[in-house]
Amino acid sequence: MTTAPLTLVRGSITDQSVDAIVNAANSSLLGGGGVDGAIHRNGGPEILAECRALRAARYGRGLPTGQAVATTAGRLDARWVIHTVGPVYEVSTGGDHTLLASCYRESLRVADELGARTVAFPAISTGAYGWPMEDAARIAVETVRNTETAVTEVRFVLFDERAYAAFAGQLH
Ligand code: AR6
């Protein structure tokens, strides 16, 4: 095991051809907006069916923040979706950066369990959950750089130029 090379692309996570696509989900695992909405919309109903089964079997109270769990990727060009729940950033108190780091670490651990070699991540918590982009990019890149994995490519997929620039700034 070693650490995974990082790549950056600007675009939609749902357009990636990789072994595993990471979803910025919520604890319910039952869908939402942003990345989550796009993944369920493009991946089709099989993903939601597996999420419901996970809720029934293992996560009756929902997937805890910072943890990760895999389902099929349905019609997406990937074998798996790895759902993880980022922490919410509160303007007054900030957010728990150990939980944001945990999302990346746990997603890579699940990827290793599955045998996934290429993994696409969105900028977890930087949309509806409000985490400032520069800080989220630093945590994402530092965590992946410090996590031992058999994954051979971690691809950060950034939706807009601002997000891309924030992640690019961390690679130098
Ligand atoms: N591909 C890549 N990045 C995207 C895409 C896309 N298709 N769509 C949005 N982004 P968010 P969160 C960017 O809100 O902050 C959902 O409702 C977006 O610009 O998807 O972790 C869930 O169900 C932002 O930079 O995730 C949860 O309730 C980043 O992806 C909640 O939102 C993450 O934005 C999770 O919030």
Side-chain angles (χ1 to χ4, degrees):
M1 299 254 268
T2 172
T3 55
L6 306 182
T7 57
L8 301 185
V9 301
R10 186 168 162 192
S12 174
I13 195 103
T14 56
D15 291 338
Q16 306 306 308
S17 303
V18 284
D19 293 335
I21 289 175
V22 176
N23 184 15
N26 60 63
S27 284
S28 81
L29 291 176
L30 300 180
V35 167
D36 201 6
I39 283 177
H40 284 284
R41 212 164 39 245
N42 288 278
E46 255 188 284
I47 301 175
L48 187 58
E50 282 196 23
C51 286
R52 287 191 197 284
L54 281 167
R55 283 296 305 274
R58 285 165 55 192
Y59 296 107
R61 292 176 167 183
L63 181 67
T65 304
Q67 295 191 22
V69 67
T71 65
T72 176
R75 296 194 292 259
L76 296 172
D77 191 11
R79 289 182 67 186
W80 301 283
V81 169
I82 299 174
H83 307 262
T84 189
V85 183
V88 175
Y89 188 93
E90 305 284 356
V91 175
S92 50
T93 52
D96 186 336
H97 64 92
T98 62
L99 288 175
L100 185 54
S102 175
C103 288
Y104 289 95
R105 207 176 311 108
E106 286 297 302
S107 295
L108 288 174
R109 190 182 60 72
V110 170
D112 282 337
E113 273 175 17
L114 295 166
R117 291 293 176 263
T118 52
V119 180
F121 280 95
I124 298 164
S125 285
T126 62
Y129 284 178
W131 206 292
M133 187 61 76
E134 300 284 334
D135 195 49
R138 180 184 59 77
I139 293 165
V141 169
E142 268 180 27
T143 304
V144 172
R145 279 193 171 141
N146 289 314
T147 302
E148 294 266 312
T149 175
V151 169
T152 57
E153 181 192 356
V154 166
R155 187 183 307 171
F156 289 112
V157 183
L158 293 323
F159 210 41
D160 57 27
E161 191 50 44
R162 193 177 65 90
Y164 187 93
F167 276 72
Q170 293 299 323
L171 293 190
H172 304 298

